[in-house]
Amino acid sequence: MAAFPQVSKIAYEGPKSKNPLAFRHYNPDELVEGKPMKDHLRFSVAYWHTMRGTGSDPFGPGTMLRPWEGPQDTVENACNRVRVAFEFMEKLGTPFFCFHDRDIAPEGKTLAETNKNLDAVVKVVKEEMQRTGIRLLWGTANLFSNPRYVHGAATSPNADAFAFAAAQVKKALEVTKELGGAGYVFWGGREGYQTLWNTDMKRELEHLARFMHLAVDYAQKIGFDGQFYIEPKPKEPTKHQYDFDAANCINFLRAYGLAAHFKLNIETNHATLAGHDVEHELEYAGHQGFLGSVDANTGDLLLGWDTDQFPTNVYLTTKIMLAFLKYGGFTTGGVNFDAKVRRESFEPADLFYAHIGGMDTFAMGLKIAAAIRADGELDRMLRQRYASWDSGLGAEIEAGKHDFESLERYMLQKGDIEPNASGRQELFENVVNRFIF
Ligand code: XUL
Ligand code: CO
């Protein structure tokens, strides 16, 4: 029986449509810079929020009405939920999904039983993927919910926790490979600390690096050739997460010999928790060669935690898509809606409204970003700001033709610098606004 009988396939109806169950901007086959929108955006549904979010918060229990859920989370219930998930994604038209191992199948009493449960559900996931053509953007393992990971997983002071996490990631990699996943994500979970008094940071980071190397080795052994990602986040659940931001993660990857195997999965709300805008994180990862994928959501600047809201701000999506167009677009990555409906939005229909809004906002961002690039004015203004580096002294410095002594000679002779030009921030902002339609 259909879980969403009142909803048929969401269609593109154009900007004038007032149908809440239609796209106004996301037109999957429309070409932008010569490529269909669907291939630019590679939308993905996050199983943990969309299928497992209950709406609970520290002050009260879940509120979500999910009529397809049974009274207990049995394997049978989990298999049925998979069918609901694929009905939802098929109607929505998202080509990808992402999941944690524990999102899709219940844990058993032992690791062996848990793996058996997972296999049973993965079988149904595979059938549904074949039936619908929906693909796996990335898989991951939940190394943070179970109390065994109270002190972390790879960075736990308890070596057995490391071993359990290794076994869990081994299985998650096998499952991701089995389902043809394009990638595999490590989000740090509880890999961090609350106080340095009880924490050996150097040892914990070495263990984290060891864990990543073991994962890379095992992926090679089983022939999993998907892209590995680290997803930075500065805090929550721990006070200080080790994978703080893009720059920090890249340093970790380079320091421990992992750079060739990883890219980054950048999440908007994590960037703002780190005191950055998401475009800072994307640009940093991009020019360093680590731009991989996006967890699309947004935070609330009046709240200091990871609210994981659906993105509805066109400036935000424009900046994200500008960054990806600049660095050649997604290859293995995509736009994964790591976002949840509010506790107050508890009806199944809200899941559609939320994703439709996010997809439309990203489609608008893509079109605006492409228009900005086609126009070229912003880029010309930017290049003009750096014109002193294009010839003469600037070009010579960039070419490595100077040292401190030659620069001193140059400046002693000249006396002082050429006058600075205005930064024109307001004009730059006005030019961007010409494209926000
Ligand atoms: C947590 C978060 C995770 C990762 C996957 O803030 O973003 O859901 O995306 O583990
Ligand atoms: Co995320």
Side-chain angles (χ1 to χ4, degrees), residues 112-267:
E113 202 182 297
T114 301
N115 285 348
K116 205 167 137 240
N117 291 352
L118 189 54
D119 286 336
V121 182
V122 163
K123 197 167 158 279
V124 182
V125 173
K126 202 171 174 182
E127 281 165 21
E128 288 294 286
M129 288 174 74
Q130 276 160 1
R131 182 183 68 76
T132 59
I134 293 169
R135 288 168 287 158
L136 177 60
L137 190 67
W138 47 262
T140 188
N142 179 329
L143 306 178
F144 43 89
S145 294
N146 192 294
R148 75 172 63 87
Y149 297 126
V150 63
H151 301 304
T155 65
S156 174
N158 180 351
D160 265 5
F162 183 105
F164 200 105
Q168 203 179 318
V169 171
K170 173 181 177 289
K171 181 71 182 170
L173 283 170
E174 290 162 8
V175 163
T176 301
K177 178 182 185 295
E178 162 93 14
L179 297 176
Y184 186 92
V185 161
F186 287 94
W187 166 60
R190 292 181 195 274
E191 316 292 23
Y193 64 87
Q194 306 290 3
T195 171
L196 268 186
W197 292 120
N198 73 2
T199 302
D200 186 338
M201 187 196 285
K202 177 170 184 285
R203 215 165 173 187
E204 292 199 0
L205 283 170
E206 283 165 4
H207 295 165
L208 188 59
R210 164 81 47 157
F211 195 87
M212 301 297 186
H213 274 291
L214 295 179
V216 168
D217 290 349
Y218 189 66
Q220 273 163 6
K221 185 165 180 185
I222 64 172
F224 170 63
D225 56 7
Q227 176 65 51
F228 278 114
Y229 308 95
I230 291 192
E231 181 178 320
K233 184 175 184 181
K235 53 188 160 191
E236 203 193 32
T238 71
K239 184 179 103 171
H240 187 108
Q241 301 276 124
Y242 286 132
D243 299 330
F244 192 94
D245 64 1
N248 159 293
C249 287
I250 292 169
N251 179 63
F252 170 82
L253 292 169
R254 289 197 176 126
Y256 292 98
L258 288 157
H261 305 289
F262 282 80
K263 286 194 161 50
L264 300 183
N265 179 38
I266 301 291
E267 178 164 329

Side-chain angles (χ1 to χ4, degrees), residues 66-385:
R66 301 291 182 251
W68 53 85
E69 291 289 336
Q72 264 169 2
D73 193 20
T74 58
V75 169
E76 197 192 344
N77 182 58
C79 291
N80 182 50
R81 184 193 296 123
V82 169
R83 296 189 190 96
V84 174
F86 277 84
E87 182 196 331
F88 175 75
M89 293 189 283
E90 218 186 351
K91 288 182 168 168
L92 190 61
T94 42
F96 292 97
F97 71 109
C98 295
F99 71 96
H100 301 81
D101 48 2
R102 302 302 176 248
D103 303 334
I104 59 170
E107 281 201 69
K109 286 193 193 68
T110 60
L111 179 61
E113 202 182 297
T114 301
N115 285 348
K116 205 167 137 240
N117 291 352
L118 189 54
D119 286 336
V121 182
V122 163
K123 197 167 158 279
V124 182
V125 173
K126 202 171 174 182
E127 281 165 21
E128 288 294 286
M129 288 174 74
Q130 276 160 1
R131 182 183 68 76
T132 59
I134 293 169
R135 288 168 287 158
L136 177 60
L137 190 67
W138 47 262
T140 188
N142 179 329
L143 306 178
F144 43 89
S145 294
N146 192 294
R148 75 172 63 87
Y149 297 126
V150 63
H151 301 304
T155 65
S156 174
N158 180 351
D160 265 5
F162 183 105
F164 200 105
Q168 203 179 318
V169 171
K170 173 181 177 289
K171 181 71 182 170
L173 283 170
E174 290 162 8
V175 163
T176 301
K177 178 182 185 295
E178 162 93 14
L179 297 176
Y184 186 92
V185 161
F186 287 94
W187 166 60
R190 292 181 195 274
E191 316 292 23
Y193 64 87
Q194 306 290 3
T195 171
L196 268 186
W197 292 120
N198 73 2
T199 302
D200 186 338
M201 187 196 285
K202 177 170 184 285
R203 215 165 173 187
E204 292 199 0
L205 283 170
E206 283 165 4
H207 295 165
L208 188 59
R210 164 81 47 157
F211 195 87
M212 301 297 186
H213 274 291
L214 295 179
V216 168
D217 290 349
Y218 189 66
Q220 273 163 6
K221 185 165 180 185
I222 64 172
F224 170 63
D225 56 7
Q227 176 65 51
F228 278 114
Y229 308 95
I230 291 192
E231 181 178 320
K233 184 175 184 181
K235 53 188 160 191
E236 203 193 32
T238 71
K239 184 179 103 171
H240 187 108
Q241 301 276 124
Y242 286 132
D243 299 330
F244 192 94
D245 64 1
N248 159 293
C249 287
I250 292 169
N251 179 63
F252 170 82
L253 292 169
R254 289 197 176 126
Y256 292 98
L258 288 157
H261 305 289
F262 282 80
K263 286 194 161 50
L264 300 183
N265 179 38
I266 301 291
E267 178 164 329
T268 311
N269 206 165
H270 296 179
T272 47
L273 288 179
H276 302 306
D277 288 321
V278 71
E279 59 267 29
H280 168 93
E281 291 291 84
L282 296 170
E283 175 56 36
Y284 197 90
H287 75 257
Q288 293 286 322
F290 287 84
L291 191 55
S293 201
V294 156
D295 265 11
N297 61 20
T298 191
D300 185 319
L301 290 180
L302 299 184
L303 301 173
W305 65 91
D306 198 11
T307 58
D308 282 347
Q309 289 163 236
F310 276 84
T312 55
N313 182 327
V314 176
Y315 284 93
L316 174 76
T317 56
T318 298
K319 288 170 182 172
I320 293 174
M321 292 320 297
L322 266 176
F324 274 95
L325 291 176
K326 178 175 175 185
Y327 290 106
F330 292 113
T331 46
T332 52
V335 175
N336 173 49
F337 287 109
D338 191 353
K340 59 186 177 205
V341 288
R342 299 302 85 192
R343 187 170 191 265
E344 299 82 353
S345 308
F346 44 74
E347 292 180 9
D350 293 307
L351 292 173
F352 279 99
Y353 301 143
H355 285 85
I356 289 169
M359 291 163 79
D360 259 349
T361 311
F362 261 91
M364 280 178 85
L366 170 64
K367 287 193 283 189
I368 294 166
I372 289 173
R373 282 157 57 86
D375 172 78
E377 176 71 1
L378 205 63
D379 195 43
R380 270 193 297 281
M381 286 164 60
L382 181 66
R383 275 188 283 119
Q384 181 55 34
R385 251 197 115 203

